Amino acid sequence: MAEDIKTKLGRYKTAPFDSRFPNQNQTRNCWQNYLDFHRCQRAMAAKGADATPCQWYFHVYKSLCPTSWVTTWDEARDEGTFPGKI
């Protein structure tokens, strides 16, 4: 399974279609993938497992989210004021 994920990451170009977010506005898709990435990393760290599968969410949110949003969210997480549930 890890090899399959590494193969997909190697071929990654842009975020694929996600049927949960069928509209042109991809704001919620960006937000959800940002949360999923950090949730995945936390879960993998708790298990002591390799966090490579989490990189999929990272690539998706990096291609969808404006850099300014990500910077703001990262700063809020560092300060402990992030509004999302991670």
Side-chain angles (χ1 to χ4, degrees), residues 16-83:
F17 176 74
D18 189 339
S19 60
R20 297 176 297 168
F21 311 102
N23 302 321
Q24 284 183 333
N25 186 345
Q26 293 294 300
T27 302
R28 292 189 64 185
N29 193 355
C30 158
W31 173 255
Q32 189 61 52
N33 279 287
Y34 182 84
L35 292 177
D36 288 345
F37 171 70
H38 291 289
R39 288 176 184 158
C40 179
Q41 283 205 315
R42 179 175 283 180
M44 292 299 200
K47 292 179 184 177
D50 181 28
T52 302
C54 302
Q55 291 302 310
W56 177 258
Y57 300 116
F58 175 79
H59 287 293
V60 173
Y61 90 72
K62 279 295 191 181
S63 66
L64 290 174
C65 301
T67 306
S68 61
W69 291 4
V70 173
T71 303
T72 302
W73 295 339
D74 287 341
E75 289 171 358
R77 277 188 321 105
D78 292 340
E79 295 169 1
T81 59
F82 184 70

